[in-house]
Amino acid sequence: MACDEGHAEAPDDRSAALLGELEAAIAAAPPGTSGWPEELEDLWDRAQEEPGLALTDEQRQHFAARRERWEASSEAQRLLWSLREAVRRGELRDVSRAVALAELGAHAGLGGYDNIWLLRDLGRPHGEQALARLVQDESVGESDRQEAREWLAKLRRPEYEARASRPTDGEELLLPKVVRDLTSGWAGGWEIEDEPTPERFAQARAILEALLPDQRLASEEPPHWEGKWIEDAEDRPAWLEVQMVLIPLMPDARLVTRERLIWAWHECERLGIDLEDATPEAFAERWAARIAANLAQGMLEWLWREGCFAPWAQDLAIRYIDRNIAVTDATRLLTEAAEAGSQWGPTADGRPCPP
């Protein structure tokens, strides 16, 4: 017998039911169990591996509460996933209620990152506005705020790209003219070529000379981090999050202006990034120097990969080490030159690197 369409549950009814279940699950969830002493955490780990481990009544109560909390979080996660599917199918109508519950779940620490992902899926403006509130709220767990920052920046990326497309007329350009001609992004340098021309090497030399500051920097630039974005997220430095804004905002050297860096400082504040600089002016100075250091690093890498070990290249490498900039690649250039035995020749393999 065919199903009576009048009794079939409509998409709106299904999503409303999911929202009701999620609200009930959050309300019924037991309180969190964080803040245990290290000894109890160690005992919990042992109990997972040794089911028959002798425990006191108090310890059993603690562990039962944690299991109940995990079950409640898993249920919230299941409901959030179903709501995300409803968003994908275009069936979720009560966006305001979904946003409120996702924020509530994030504050309660229930449902893992699915609260953040639901807000991401809801997009602009409601999901974006909620993420902007969460990243500023210190009562939300730091890992959740970090995840929210990443997705908030991605939702706002069209704004960064739109600003990048605007002309720089009337803005203060912060990099030298010879550097602004680079179109290879922050990486500096170029793709490795079979036969780079003398003009190419001359351009690299001019760029490195223009980027070299007069004084040694107090700390090495650019900073580097050997961790992995996801696996080592807890140790991810704040400057990497700043780059989520700056790279799409000013993808080429010609777009690095004081006005855009000052706007970026305010945007990073909006994202809740823990900035090194208390003022937009100090931020602009730091990041103009940091972007310049990135470009110099890329150019030095290009030189040693191309086997250009002319005296001027080695001299510049020494000077960059002295200024505390791009030390790794400057050192690599000198090491490669020494191994090639080419301190006095134009290049290791006779390439047309100008003497």
Side-chain angles (χ1 to χ4, degrees):
M1 180 181 295
C3 177
D4 184 349
E5 292 184 2
H7 294 286
E9 190 177 23
D12 286 0
D13 294 336
R14 287 198 298 271
S15 61
L18 287 170
L19 290 169
E21 290 180 52
L22 179 59
E23 185 172 13
I26 294 173
T33 59
S34 60
W36 281 0
E38 185 176 348
E39 298 80 10
L40 192 58
E41 290 286 0
D42 292 341
L43 188 62
W44 164 264
D45 292 338
R46 282 187 58 198
Q48 307 316 300
E49 300 174 359
E50 305 174 35
L53 185 66
L55 300 171
T56 66
D57 289 343
E58 183 180 7
Q59 289 166 346
R60 277 193 290 271
Q61 290 172 1
H62 280 307
F63 294 171
R66 173 165 286 189
R67 281 189 288 271
E68 289 176 11
R69 175 74 177 184
W70 280 8
E71 290 170 2
S73 187
S74 295
E75 175 64 6
Q77 197 167 19
R78 180 188 69 80
L79 293 166
L80 287 161
W81 184 89
S82 296
L83 285 168
R84 290 177 57 209
E85 285 294 294
V87 172
R88 184 183 61 80
R89 294 191 299 266
E91 296 175 358
L92 183 63
R93 298 290 181 266
D94 196 347
V95 173
S96 297
R97 188 181 181 194
V99 165
L101 288 173
E103 286 192 74
L104 186 61
H107 280 100
L110 294 167
Y113 289 153
D114 279 82
N115 296 291
I116 307 301
W117 297 339
L118 175 58
L119 295 173
R120 171 203 64 191
D121 294 348
L122 290 170
R124 308 180 78 173
H126 302 291
E128 176 188 341
Q129 292 167 356
L131 289 172
R133 290 190 291 269
L134 288 177
V135 297
Q136 298 290 343
D137 192 337
E138 294 185 359
S139 69
V140 176
E142 176 54 32
S143 63
D144 283 352
R145 292 170 65 200
Q146 190 177 57
E147 186 75 5
R149 278 196 295 273
E150 181 176 350
W151 289 112
L152 179 57
K154 288 180 178 178
L155 284 176
R156 291 187 52 74
R157 189 180 180 101
E159 168 72 10
Y160 310 155
E161 293 172 343
R163 287 179 175 272
S165 68
R166 298 175 188 173
T168 57
D169 299 346
E171 298 182 29
E172 182 183 351
L173 301 167
L174 297 179
L175 296 177
K177 174 64 171 65
V178 67
V179 179
R180 297 199 300 271
D181 290 338
L182 269 177
T183 58
S184 54
W186 285 27
W190 300 280
E191 296 293 328
I192 301 303
E193 304 171 16
D194 291 335
E195 293 294 337
T197 64
E199 290 76 19
R200 183 71 96 185
F201 287 114
Q203 185 183 7
R205 179 178 184 176
I207 288 169
L208 284 169
E209 288 174 344
L211 289 173
L212 189 69
D214 295 330
Q215 303 293 327
R216 177 180 174 84
L217 302 186
S219 57
E220 184 181 343
E221 291 287 352
H224 58 276
W225 184 60
E226 297 181 356
K228 296 181 179 179
W229 183 265
I230 295 176
E231 292 86 340
D232 303 313
E234 290 184 0
D235 300 319
R236 188 191 305 161
W239 57 263
L240 275 176
E241 295 188 321
V242 173
Q243 289 185 354
M244 296 190 303
V245 176
L246 293 189
I247 290 176
L249 179 65
M250 45 190 76
D252 289 320
R254 62 185 174 83
L255 298 173
V256 179
T257 71
R258 187 173 303 279
E259 290 78 4
R260 294 180 192 218
L261 283 170
I262 287 174
W263 184 89
W265 182 88
H266 290 286
E267 178 66 8
C268 290
E269 285 278 296
R270 171 188 171 88
L271 295 176
I273 297 173
D274 185 17
L275 296 174
E276 299 170 86
D277 303 293
T279 67
E281 292 76 15
F283 176 89
E285 293 295 331
R286 179 187 301 277
W287 277 95
R290 184 162 288 172
I291 293 168
N294 270 284
L295 293 167
Q297 176 177 268
M299 198 58 66
L300 287 164
E301 180 185 1
W302 182 81
L303 286 176
W304 68 255
R305 288 189 181 278
E306 288 289 4
C308 178
F309 307 127
W312 63 262
Q314 295 185 60
D315 176 66
L316 279 168
I318 292 169
R319 292 162 70 189
Y320 268 94
I321 293 170
D322 179 66
R323 300 298 195 278
N324 212 15
I325 298 172
V327 172
T328 299
D329 280 284
T331 303
R332 179 67 179 270
L333 188 150
L334 296 175
T335 301
E336 294 285 338
E339 290 179 355
S342 59
Q343 290 91 334
W344 312 112
T347 66
D349 56 4
R351 289 190 175 190
C353 180

